Amino acid sequence: MKDEATARADFDAAVAADPQLAMSVAALYAEQGWFERSLDLWDQWIASHPRDDRLPDALNGRCWARALWGRDLDKALKDCERAVRMSRISSFLDSRGLVRLRLGQYRQAIADYTAALKDNPRQAWSLYGRGVAEIKSGDKDKGEADIEAATAVDPRLPMLAKK
């Protein structure tokens, strides 16, 4: 219904009623572009769960939110690197790839995206991100092929990535 204030109030009430929802709500906030609130929830959850088995997921979530927002990329990279050290999951490599892409570290971004694609060759964000990194590093043909493959998996991705 595009009622942002009511949606936020409902999400906050849900987290207050059941703190176990904090990670899911933080991820939803990031998807909606409500990065400050997303990061607040990630920060609170991480601070209160330093030994939780889900800590790598939370670090990756906070990394992803910062990467999408394009702010505090040095902090995002630290979170992603810590998450990858704890558990080398393709989505964590994908997140770190986006941070490195935004930092202009194209070779490292390509390496992260390539590693992520080993586990899931049709991961659209990884294909798209690698394509952008390849183009920016001078390999236009490879980059365009990856972006085309990503768009075949998820036709909305170019629009989402521009957002």
Side-chain angles (χ1 to χ4, degrees):
M1 295 171 42
K2 308 236 185 254
D3 183 354
E4 185 176 319
T6 302
R8 285 186 191 202
D10 287 347
F11 281 130
D12 288 342
V15 171
D18 183 357
Q20 295 299 322
L21 296 173
M23 286 178 61
S24 297
V25 172
L28 288 170
Y29 279 148
E31 285 178 27
Q32 293 302 311
W34 302 335
F35 299 113
E36 289 177 18
R37 186 63 185 129
S38 173
L39 290 169
D40 286 344
L41 284 175
W42 286 124
D43 289 344
Q44 291 169 25
W45 193 95
I46 290 167
S48 63
H49 296 82
R51 298 193 194 315
D52 195 290
D53 289 343
R54 297 169 294 168
L55 182 59
D57 295 312
L59 291 166
N60 180 65
R62 188 167 68 179
C63 169
W64 183 249
R66 285 182 171 135
L68 288 176
W69 198 15
R71 293 197 186 168
D72 294 326
L73 295 175
D74 55 330
K75 291 179 182 177
L77 186 58
K78 286 179 184 176
D79 280 344
C80 278
E81 288 177 344
R82 188 171 167 206
V84 168
R85 278 194 310 272
M86 295 171 87
S87 183
R88 196 167 174 85
I89 295 176
S90 64
S91 61
F92 298 177
L93 293 164
D94 176 79
S95 297
R96 189 171 70 182
L98 179 58
V99 173
R100 287 178 165 166
L101 175 62
R102 286 190 172 259
L103 288 169
Q105 300 171 355
Y106 303 126
R107 281 189 228 168
Q108 295 98 323
I110 292 166
D112 280 338
Y113 286 130
T114 300
L117 289 163
K118 286 181 183 174
D119 290 338
N120 183 359
R122 293 181 43 82
Q123 190 170 344
W125 274 104
S126 293
L127 285 165
Y128 193 90
R130 186 173 71 179
V132 171
E134 288 166 337
I135 290 169
K136 291 197 176 272
S137 66
D139 198 341
K140 185 178 177 192
D141 292 339
K142 267 186 173 177
E144 288 177 352
D146 275 344
I147 290 172
E148 185 177 316
T151 305
V153 173
D154 185 351
R156 304 167 305 132
L157 193 53
M159 178 207 47
L160 293 172
K162 284 180 186 175
K163 188 176 161 186

